[in-house]
Amino acid sequence: MGNPGGCRTSRNSTALPDPREEAGKASAAISVTKGSNSGLPACKVITCRAAIAWTANAPLSIEEVEVDPPKPGEVRIKIVSSGLCGTDKHILEGKDKVPLPSILGHEGTGIVESIGEGVTTVQPGDKVLIFLLPECGECRYCLHPKGNMCVKENILSPTGLMLDGTSRFTCRGRKIYHLYGTSTFTEYTVVHEIAVGKIDAAAPLDKVCIMSCAVPTGFGVVFNTARVTPGSTCVIFGLGGIGSAVVMGCKASGASRIIGVDIIEDKFPWARALGVTDCLNPQNLKRPVQEVVVEMTGGGADFAFEAVGLTDTMVAAFESCHVSYGVCVIIGVAPSAAKLSFDPLMLLPGRTLKGATLGEYKTRSCIPKLVTDYMQRKFNTDSLITHQFPFEKINKAFELFRSEHCKGCQCRQKLIYNQRRNATPKSQCKILNTTFTAEESHTRTRRCSDHVYTILKRKTTA
C-alpha cells in the first residue's frame, strides 16, 4: 500500500478570542447577503436540524438551528455523512472541555452549498472533506515540511468560534458554539476554506467521511510519525477505528508481528482479519500488559501506538517499547487537565515518545489524495465502518458507542450517521425526513432514496 496520499508533513497556536467575551456578537436575524463571487446567487440564512450538546452528561438535542451565510473565506456545506469519534464521546461525558452549547462532530463529508467572498479552491456542488486541522499554507508550521499544526488551529485551546470571533449558528435566539471550526452533527455547517478539501466527484461520501480523521490519523502515525519498518514488531493499544487503521498501516509496512491490546475480546477476530498476530486482554493477565509485551518480544516492541486516550494506557504503551530504540506514538486524547507521569530514566537508554495529530498529514494538501487512492482501490477501509444510522438516531448511535466502550477503549470500529442526500433547507423548501434504517445483516445493500448504502458488515449486538 505504501504511504497513501504520498505526503509527509509541530505544534504551536495563537491566542483566539475568549468565547465568553465574543459569544453573541453575531445577529440571529435572518438576512440576505450579496453573492460572494461574481455570478453567484445571494445567500440566505438556512434553517435546518442540528444535534446540540447543551451541556455535558446529557443526550444531544435535535433542534432547529439557523445557519448564517458564509463570510469571506468561508464555505457553507450540506453535510451528508459524519463519523462518531471518541473525542465527541469524551466531550459529552465531560472529560474533554469545550465551550457549550455546541454542535459537535468533526469527521464529515458533504457538498458545498455556497461560498464566501474570496473562496477559490471549491465551488457550490463540490464534494468535500472537512478537517479539524486547517492548512492556511502561509504560517511557518504549514510551510515547514514536517509541520501540520497550522497557527489557525482551534483544537489545542478551543474557543468554539470562527476566526473572526463569532459563531454562524443560532438556536432559540442563542448563539451556539462550533467544534474545532467544523461541527458536522448538523445538516448544514460553515467552515473556513482552509479547513476544506475537494475530493473526487464519484467518491461515496458515506464511506470516505472517515478520511477526515480516523484513516489519516491511523495511517499517518505509521507512515509519517513512527515510520514503521519491514520485519518490525508493533503493539497497538485500542482496537477501535483508529487502532484498526494503525493495524492496516503496520501490515502494509511489512511488520512481522502486530500485537493488539484491548479489553473487549469481541474485537479480536476482527483485528486478526486486519493483520493482528497476537491479541491481549489486560484484564485476563496476571501481570501488567507491558511486562507481557516485553517478554513476548524479547525486550520490547519496536513500535507502540496508544489509541485509547487514557494516561495509564499511554504509560503502558511507552513501557512496552524496546528499552534502547523503541518508538511510542500517542494518538488518543487524554481527559482535560490529565497529566502524564513516568520515570524519566526510561528515556535515557534511547526510547522515543512522540505524539501526532491527524497522522502529521497536511490536511488540504495530502488527505484528499487518500480519497483518490481509495477510489483507485489502492486500499480499502470500508471494513472500518460497522454501523450506519440516520441523523435522528444519533443518540442511539452514541448509546451503541458507549456500550462497546469500556475504560476508554475505542468502539469496535466506526459508527456513521447519514443525512438524506436530497435534504433541503427551509429557506428553499421544507426539510425531508430521513428514513434510512440499519439492518442486522452481512454485507447487504439496499436502495434508500437515490443512494445505495452498504449497511453493517456484521450483525450488531445492541
Side-chain angles (χ1 to χ4, degrees), residues 293-338:
V293 171
V294 169
E295 181 178 316
M296 289 173 62
T297 56
D302 299 305
F303 302 97
F305 302 90
E306 198 280 347
V308 177
L310 295 175
T311 55
D312 287 346
T313 50
M314 292 175 185
V315 172
F318 187 43
E319 293 180 349
S320 296
C321 287
H322 192 280
V323 64
S324 182
Y325 50 76
V327 176
C328 177
V329 182
I330 303 300
I331 310 167
V333 179
S336 297

mmCIF file of all heavy atoms in Angstrom, residues 293-338:
data_model
loop_
_atom_site.group_PDB
_atom_site.id
_atom_site.type_symbol
_atom_site.label_atom_id
_atom_site.label_comp_id
_atom_site.label_asym_id
_atom_site.label_seq_id
_atom_site.Cartn_x
_atom_site.Cartn_y
_atom_site.Cartn_z
ATOM 1 N N VAL A 293 4.167 -7.852 27.093
ATOM 2 C CA VAL A 293 4.631 -7.489 25.750
ATOM 3 C C VAL A 293 6.152 -7.545 25.671
ATOM 4 O O VAL A 293 6.726 -8.070 24.704
ATOM 5 C CB VAL A 293 4.118 -6.083 25.353
ATOM 6 C CG1 VAL A 293 4.773 -5.616 24.052
ATOM 7 C CG2 VAL A 293 2.604 -6.087 25.213
ATOM 8 N N VAL A 294 6.826 -7.028 26.691
ATOM 9 C CA VAL A 294 8.291 -7.049 26.702
ATOM 10 C C VAL A 294 8.805 -8.489 26.658
ATOM 11 O O VAL A 294 9.747 -8.811 25.932
ATOM 12 C CB VAL A 294 8.831 -6.303 27.938
ATOM 13 C CG1 VAL A 294 10.325 -6.543 28.112
ATOM 14 C CG2 VAL A 294 8.558 -4.811 27.817
ATOM 15 N N GLU A 295 8.161 -9.359 27.409
ATOM 16 C CA GLU A 295 8.580 -10.764 27.416
ATOM 17 C C GLU A 295 8.304 -11.427 26.067
ATOM 18 O O GLU A 295 9.148 -12.169 25.545
ATOM 19 C CB GLU A 295 7.860 -11.515 28.527
ATOM 20 C CG GLU A 295 8.255 -12.984 28.625
ATOM 21 C CD GLU A 295 7.551 -13.696 29.771
ATOM 22 O OE1 GLU A 295 7.474 -13.127 30.866
ATOM 23 O OE2 GLU A 295 7.087 -14.829 29.550
ATOM 24 N N MET A 296 7.126 -11.166 25.497
ATOM 25 C CA MET A 296 6.756 -11.764 24.213
ATOM 26 C C MET A 296 7.721 -11.365 23.105
ATOM 27 O O MET A 296 8.001 -12.152 22.197
ATOM 28 C CB MET A 296 5.341 -11.324 23.813
ATOM 29 C CG MET A 296 4.220 -11.909 24.634
ATOM 30 S SD MET A 296 2.618 -11.160 24.190
ATOM 31 C CE MET A 296 2.468 -11.625 22.464
ATOM 32 N N THR A 297 8.219 -10.140 23.169
ATOM 33 C CA THR A 297 9.027 -9.594 22.074
ATOM 34 C C THR A 297 10.524 -9.672 22.343
ATOM 35 O O THR A 297 11.312 -9.192 21.532
ATOM 36 C CB THR A 297 8.629 -8.135 21.816
ATOM 37 O OG1 THR A 297 8.773 -7.383 23.036
ATOM 38 C CG2 THR A 297 7.189 -8.032 21.335
ATOM 39 N N GLY A 298 10.904 -10.230 23.475
ATOM 40 C CA GLY A 298 12.309 -10.358 23.780
ATOM 41 C C GLY A 298 13.002 -9.042 24.056
ATOM 42 O O GLY A 298 14.133 -8.821 23.614
ATOM 43 N N GLY A 299 12.310 -8.165 24.773
ATOM 44 C CA GLY A 299 12.920 -6.888 25.140
ATOM 45 C C GLY A 299 12.073 -5.673 24.870
ATOM 46 O O GLY A 299 12.417 -4.563 25.262
ATOM 47 N N GLY A 300 10.955 -5.858 24.178
ATOM 48 C CA GLY A 300 10.072 -4.735 23.897
ATOM 49 C C GLY A 300 9.787 -4.583 22.413
ATOM 50 O O GLY A 300 10.571 -5.020 21.561
ATOM 51 N N ALA A 301 8.669 -3.964 22.102
ATOM 52 C CA ALA A 301 8.271 -3.761 20.708
ATOM 53 C C ALA A 301 9.102 -2.666 20.059
ATOM 54 O O ALA A 301 9.570 -1.741 20.732
ATOM 55 C CB ALA A 301 6.791 -3.404 20.635
ATOM 56 N N ASP A 302 9.280 -2.783 18.760
ATOM 57 C CA ASP A 302 9.965 -1.715 18.018
ATOM 58 C C ASP A 302 9.118 -0.453 17.985
ATOM 59 O O ASP A 302 9.633 0.660 18.080
ATOM 60 C CB ASP A 302 10.252 -2.175 16.587
ATOM 61 C CG ASP A 302 11.144 -3.400 16.536
ATOM 62 O OD1 ASP A 302 12.235 -3.352 17.112
ATOM 63 O OD2 ASP A 302 10.733 -4.399 15.923
ATOM 64 N N PHE A 303 7.794 -0.650 17.833
ATOM 65 C CA PHE A 303 6.878 0.487 17.729
ATOM 66 C C PHE A 303 5.634 0.203 18.564
ATOM 67 O O PHE A 303 5.083 -0.899 18.514
ATOM 68 C CB PHE A 303 6.471 0.734 16.271
ATOM 69 C CG PHE A 303 7.639 0.988 15.359
ATOM 70 C CD1 PHE A 303 8.176 -0.042 14.593
ATOM 71 C CD2 PHE A 303 8.200 2.249 15.261
ATOM 72 C CE1 PHE A 303 9.252 0.190 13.750
ATOM 73 C CE2 PHE A 303 9.279 2.490 14.421
ATOM 74 C CZ PHE A 303 9.808 1.454 13.663
ATOM 75 N N ALA A 304 5.189 1.206 19.321
ATOM 76 C CA ALA A 304 3.969 1.097 20.121
ATOM 77 C C ALA A 304 3.063 2.283 19.808
ATOM 78 O O ALA A 304 3.536 3.410 19.615
ATOM 79 C CB ALA A 304 4.293 1.054 21.610
ATOM 80 N N PHE A 305 1.759 2.024 19.775
ATOM 81 C CA PHE A 305 0.773 3.059 19.453
ATOM 82 C C PHE A 305 -0.331 3.031 20.503
ATOM 83 O O PHE A 305 -0.886 1.967 20.800
ATOM 84 C CB PHE A 305 0.182 2.828 18.062
ATOM 85 C CG PHE A 305 1.200 2.791 16.963
ATOM 86 C CD1 PHE A 305 1.802 1.589 16.594
ATOM 87 C CD2 PHE A 305 1.574 3.947 16.298
ATOM 88 C CE1 PHE A 305 2.749 1.543 15.583
ATOM 89 C CE2 PHE A 305 2.524 3.915 15.285
ATOM 90 C CZ PHE A 305 3.118 2.708 14.930
ATOM 91 N N GLU A 306 -0.660 4.182 21.045
ATOM 92 C CA GLU A 306 -1.738 4.297 22.029
ATOM 93 C C GLU A 306 -2.918 5.005 21.383
ATOM 94 O O GLU A 306 -2.833 6.175 21.021
ATOM 95 C CB GLU A 306 -1.260 5.076 23.257
ATOM 96 C CG GLU A 306 -2.127 4.897 24.491
ATOM 97 C CD GLU A 306 -3.390 5.743 24.512
ATOM 98 O OE1 GLU A 306 -3.490 6.673 23.681
ATOM 99 O OE2 GLU A 306 -4.257 5.498 25.360
ATOM 100 N N ALA A 307 -4.024 4.260 21.220
ATOM 101 C CA ALA A 307 -5.216 4.801 20.568
ATOM 102 C C ALA A 307 -6.428 4.682 21.475
ATOM 103 O O ALA A 307 -7.520 4.344 21.026
ATOM 104 C CB ALA A 307 -5.459 4.079 19.238
ATOM 105 N N VAL A 308 -6.232 4.936 22.759
ATOM 106 C CA VAL A 308 -7.311 4.844 23.744
ATOM 107 C C VAL A 308 -7.635 6.216 24.318
ATOM 108 O O VAL A 308 -8.782 6.640 24.349
ATOM 109 C CB VAL A 308 -6.946 3.852 24.869
ATOM 110 C CG1 VAL A 308 -8.046 3.822 25.936
ATOM 111 C CG2 VAL A 308 -6.733 2.455 24.298
ATOM 112 N N GLY A 309 -6.608 6.918 24.816
ATOM 113 C CA GLY A 309 -6.842 8.225 25.385
ATOM 114 C C GLY A 309 -6.861 8.228 26.905
ATOM 115 O O GLY A 309 -7.518 9.063 27.519
ATOM 116 N N LEU A 310 -6.148 7.286 27.523
ATOM 117 C CA LEU A 310 -6.010 7.239 28.976
ATOM 118 C C LEU A 310 -4.535 7.315 29.339
ATOM 119 O O LEU A 310 -3.692 6.705 28.664
ATOM 120 C CB LEU A 310 -6.610 5.948 29.541
ATOM 121 C CG LEU A 310 -8.121 5.752 29.393
ATOM 122 C CD1 LEU A 310 -8.515 4.374 29.883
ATOM 123 C CD2 LEU A 310 -8.873 6.823 30.171
ATOM 124 N N THR A 311 -4.219 8.026 30.389
ATOM 125 C CA THR A 311 -2.817 8.161 30.762
ATOM 126 C C THR A 311 -2.208 6.812 31.157
ATOM 127 O O THR A 311 -1.020 6.569 30.899
ATOM 128 C CB THR A 311 -2.652 9.172 31.912
ATOM 129 O OG1 THR A 311 -3.489 8.770 33.018
ATOM 130 C CG2 THR A 311 -3.040 10.569 31.464
ATOM 131 N N ASP A 312 -2.992 5.934 31.761
ATOM 132 C CA ASP A 312 -2.467 4.622 32.139
ATOM 133 C C ASP A 312 -2.057 3.815 30.913
ATOM 134 O O ASP A 312 -1.007 3.148 30.922
ATOM 135 C CB ASP A 312 -3.503 3.839 32.950
ATOM 136 C CG ASP A 312 -3.682 4.379 34.359
ATOM 137 O OD1 ASP A 312 -2.822 5.178 34.800
ATOM 138 O OD2 ASP A 312 -4.667 4.004 35.019
ATOM 139 N N THR A 313 -2.871 3.861 29.863
ATOM 140 C CA THR A 313 -2.514 3.104 28.662
ATOM 141 C C THR A 313 -1.370 3.779 27.911
ATOM 142 O O THR A 313 -0.594 3.106 27.225
ATOM 143 C CB THR A 313 -3.740 2.932 27.739
ATOM 144 O OG1 THR A 313 -4.373 4.202 27.527
ATOM 145 C CG2 THR A 313 -4.738 1.972 28.336
ATOM 146 N N MET A 314 -1.259 5.091 28.031
ATOM 147 C CA MET A 314 -0.117 5.781 27.429
ATOM 148 C C MET A 314 1.192 5.321 28.061
ATOM 149 O O MET A 314 2.173 5.031 27.368
ATOM 150 C CB MET A 314 -0.281 7.301 27.577
ATOM 151 C CG MET A 314 -1.419 7.881 26.768
ATOM 152 S SD MET A 314 -1.652 9.658 27.086
ATOM 153 C CE MET A 314 -3.124 9.973 26.117
ATOM 154 N N VAL A 315 1.215 5.237 29.389
ATOM 155 C CA VAL A 315 2.414 4.776 30.087
ATOM 156 C C VAL A 315 2.690 3.312 29.746
ATOM 157 O O VAL A 315 3.842 2.916 29.505
ATOM 158 C CB VAL A 315 2.262 4.970 31.608
ATOM 159 C CG1 VAL A 315 3.432 4.312 32.351
ATOM 160 C CG2 VAL A 315 2.190 6.449 31.952
ATOM 161 N N ALA A 316 1.624 2.505 29.694
ATOM 162 C CA ALA A 316 1.803 1.089 29.363
ATOM 163 C C ALA A 316 2.381 0.926 27.968
ATOM 164 O O ALA A 316 3.256 0.081 27.734
ATOM 165 C CB ALA A 316 0.469 0.352 29.477
ATOM 166 N N ALA A 317 1.902 1.726 27.014
ATOM 167 C CA ALA A 317 2.437 1.651 25.653
ATOM 168 C C ALA A 317 3.901 2.042 25.625
ATOM 169 O O ALA A 317 4.732 1.394 24.972
ATOM 170 C CB ALA A 317 1.622 2.549 24.724
ATOM 171 N N PHE A 318 4.238 3.114 26.354
ATOM 172 C CA PHE A 318 5.624 3.575 26.388
ATOM 173 C C PHE A 318 6.535 2.503 26.993
ATOM 174 O O PHE A 318 7.630 2.227 26.504
ATOM 175 C CB PHE A 318 5.714 4.876 27.182
ATOM 176 C CG PHE A 318 7.048 5.536 27.164
ATOM 177 C CD1 PHE A 318 7.782 5.644 25.991
ATOM 178 C CD2 PHE A 318 7.595 6.047 28.328
ATOM 179 C CE1 PHE A 318 9.032 6.255 25.973
ATOM 180 C CE2 PHE A 318 8.836 6.655 28.324
ATOM 181 C CZ PHE A 318 9.559 6.756 27.143
ATOM 182 N N GLU A 319 6.069 1.870 28.073
ATOM 183 C CA GLU A 319 6.877 0.848 28.729
ATOM 184 C C GLU A 319 6.936 -0.447 27.929
ATOM 185 O O GLU A 319 7.748 -1.326 28.240
ATOM 186 C CB GLU A 319 6.325 0.584 30.133
ATOM 187 C CG GLU A 319 6.490 1.775 31.073
ATOM 188 C CD GLU A 319 5.944 1.517 32.464
ATOM 189 O OE1 GLU A 319 5.241 0.494 32.643
ATOM 190 O OE2 GLU A 319 6.215 2.334 33.363
ATOM 191 N N SER A 320 6.078 -0.580 26.907
ATOM 192 C CA SER A 320 6.098 -1.763 26.047
ATOM 193 C C SER A 320 7.196 -1.681 24.993
ATOM 194 O O SER A 320 7.514 -2.676 24.352
ATOM 195 C CB SER A 320 4.746 -1.935 25.346
ATOM 196 O OG SER A 320 3.708 -2.176 26.272
ATOM 197 N N CYS A 321 7.739 -0.468 24.785
ATOM 198 C CA CYS A 321 8.763 -0.264 23.759
ATOM 199 C C CYS A 321 10.106 -0.870 24.175
ATOM 200 O O CYS A 321 10.405 -0.991 25.357
ATOM 201 C CB CYS A 321 8.986 1.233 23.522
ATOM 202 S SG CYS A 321 7.675 2.029 22.644
ATOM 203 N N HIS A 322 10.894 -1.189 23.181
ATOM 204 C CA HIS A 322 12.250 -1.659 23.448
ATOM 205 C C HIS A 322 13.019 -0.566 24.183
ATOM 206 O O HIS A 322 12.932 0.615 23.853
ATOM 207 C CB HIS A 322 12.967 -2.015 22.142
ATOM 208 C CG HIS A 322 14.246 -2.756 22.351
ATOM 209 N ND1 HIS A 322 15.414 -2.122 22.695
ATOM 210 C CD2 HIS A 322 14.541 -4.074 22.294
ATOM 211 C CE1 HIS A 322 16.376 -3.017 22.836
ATOM 212 N NE2 HIS A 322 15.873 -4.219 22.592
ATOM 213 N N VAL A 323 13.773 -0.970 25.183
ATOM 214 C CA VAL A 323 14.433 -0.021 26.062
ATOM 215 C C VAL A 323 15.425 0.872 25.325
ATOM 216 O O VAL A 323 15.648 2.027 25.723
ATOM 217 C CB VAL A 323 15.153 -0.773 27.216
ATOM 218 C CG1 VAL A 323 16.272 -1.653 26.666
ATOM 219 C CG2 VAL A 323 15.685 0.190 28.259
ATOM 220 N N SER A 324 15.998 0.403 24.236
ATOM 221 C CA SER A 324 17.040 1.158 23.570
ATOM 222 C C SER A 324 16.577 1.944 22.354
ATOM 223 O O SER A 324 17.011 3.072 22.144
ATOM 224 C CB SER A 324 18.183 0.218 23.158
ATOM 225 O OG SER A 324 19.232 0.930 22.551
ATOM 226 N N TYR A 325 15.685 1.361 21.550
ATOM 227 C CA TYR A 325 15.317 2.014 20.293
ATOM 228 C C TYR A 325 13.810 2.013 20.018
ATOM 229 O O TYR A 325 13.391 2.337 18.921
ATOM 230 C CB TYR A 325 16.037 1.345 19.112
ATOM 231 C CG TYR A 325 15.917 -0.162 19.085
ATOM 232 C CD1 TYR A 325 14.752 -0.791 18.671
ATOM 233 C CD2 TYR A 325 16.984 -0.948 19.509
ATOM 234 C CE1 TYR A 325 14.651 -2.164 18.657
ATOM 235 C CE2 TYR A 325 16.887 -2.333 19.499
ATOM 236 C CZ TYR A 325 15.717 -2.942 19.070
ATOM 237 O OH TYR A 325 15.614 -4.310 19.073
ATOM 238 N N GLY A 326 13.018 1.658 21.013
ATOM 239 C CA GLY A 326 11.572 1.634 20.808
ATOM 240 C C GLY A 326 10.994 3.024 20.590
ATOM 241 O O GLY A 326 11.463 4.007 21.154
ATOM 242 N N VAL A 327 9.970 3.091 19.762
ATOM 243 C CA VAL A 327 9.267 4.348 19.472
ATOM 244 C C VAL A 327 7.808 4.199 19.879
ATOM 245 O O VAL A 327 7.119 3.264 19.440
ATOM 246 C CB VAL A 327 9.353 4.710 17.982
ATOM 247 C CG1 VAL A 327 8.530 5.971 17.685
ATOM 248 C CG2 VAL A 327 10.799 4.905 17.554
ATOM 249 N N CYS A 328 7.326 5.090 20.718
ATOM 250 C CA CYS A 328 5.919 5.086 21.148
ATOM 251 C C CYS A 328 5.242 6.342 20.639
ATOM 252 O O CYS A 328 5.748 7.452 20.818
ATOM 253 C CB CYS A 328 5.829 5.033 22.676
ATOM 254 S SG CYS A 328 4.129 5.100 23.303
ATOM 255 N N VAL A 329 4.083 6.173 19.994
ATOM 256 C CA VAL A 329 3.327 7.303 19.464
ATOM 257 C C VAL A 329 1.985 7.393 20.200
ATOM 258 O O VAL A 329 1.214 6.426 20.219
ATOM 259 C CB VAL A 329 3.086 7.174 17.950
ATOM 260 C CG1 VAL A 329 2.331 8.398 17.425
ATOM 261 C CG2 VAL A 329 4.403 6.995 17.206
ATOM 262 N N ILE A 330 1.722 8.538 20.794
ATOM 263 C CA ILE A 330 0.456 8.784 21.483
ATOM 264 C C ILE A 330 -0.540 9.367 20.478
ATOM 265 O O ILE A 330 -0.290 10.411 19.877
ATOM 266 C CB ILE A 330 0.644 9.753 22.670
ATOM 267 C CG1 ILE A 330 1.682 9.209 23.651
ATOM 268 C CG2 ILE A 330 -0.693 9.998 23.366
ATOM 269 C CD1 ILE A 330 1.342 7.870 24.243
ATOM 270 N N ILE A 331 -1.687 8.696 20.333
ATOM 271 C CA ILE A 331 -2.733 9.142 19.415
ATOM 272 C C ILE A 331 -3.966 9.591 20.193
ATOM 273 O O ILE A 331 -4.600 10.589 19.869
ATOM 274 C CB ILE A 331 -3.140 8.010 18.452
ATOM 275 C CG1 ILE A 331 -1.911 7.382 17.801
ATOM 276 C CG2 ILE A 331 -4.104 8.517 17.390
ATOM 277 C CD1 ILE A 331 -2.206 6.071 17.099
ATOM 278 N N GLY A 332 -4.325 8.832 21.231
ATOM 279 C CA GLY A 332 -5.533 9.127 21.987
ATOM 280 C C GLY A 332 -5.452 10.460 22.709
ATOM 281 O O GLY A 332 -4.367 10.909 23.108
ATOM 282 N N VAL A 333 -6.610 11.097 22.882
ATOM 283 C CA VAL A 333 -6.702 12.390 23.568
ATOM 284 C C VAL A 333 -7.103 12.139 25.017
ATOM 285 O O VAL A 333 -8.199 11.642 25.285
ATOM 286 C CB VAL A 333 -7.718 13.311 22.883
ATOM 287 C CG1 VAL A 333 -7.821 14.642 23.625
ATOM 288 C CG2 VAL A 333 -7.335 13.539 21.426
ATOM 289 N N ALA A 334 -6.221 12.462 25.932
ATOM 290 C CA ALA A 334 -6.488 12.257 27.356
ATOM 291 C C ALA A 334 -7.489 13.293 27.860
ATOM 292 O O ALA A 334 -7.659 14.361 27.252
ATOM 293 C CB ALA A 334 -5.188 12.349 28.149
ATOM 294 N N PRO A 335 -8.176 13.000 28.954
ATOM 295 C CA PRO A 335 -9.124 13.966 29.523
ATOM 296 C C PRO A 335 -8.440 15.299 29.839
ATOM 297 O O PRO A 335 -7.233 15.350 30.111
ATOM 298 C CB PRO A 335 -9.606 13.281 30.810
ATOM 299 C CG PRO A 335 -9.411 11.823 30.548
ATOM 300 C CD PRO A 335 -8.181 11.729 29.700
ATOM 301 N N SER A 336 -9.225 16.373 29.794
ATOM 302 C CA SER A 336 -8.700 17.695 30.101
ATOM 303 C C SER A 336 -8.058 17.697 31.485
ATOM 304 O O SER A 336 -8.571 17.080 32.426
ATOM 305 C CB SER A 336 -9.822 18.737 30.060
ATOM 306 O OG SER A 336 -10.364 18.824 28.758
ATOM 307 N N ALA A 337 -6.928 18.378 31.590
ATOM 308 C CA ALA A 337 -6.183 18.543 32.843
ATOM 309 C C ALA A 337 -5.450 17.284 33.272
ATOM 310 O O ALA A 337 -4.798 17.276 34.322
ATOM 311 C CB ALA A 337 -7.085 19.019 33.977
ATOM 312 N N ALA A 338 -5.506 16.202 32.487
ATOM 313 C CA ALA A 338 -4.771 14.984 32.835
ATOM 314 C C ALA A 338 -3.270 15.231 32.684
ATOM 315 O O ALA A 338 -2.829 16.006 31.831
ATOM 316 C CB ALA A 338 -5.212 13.826 31.943
#
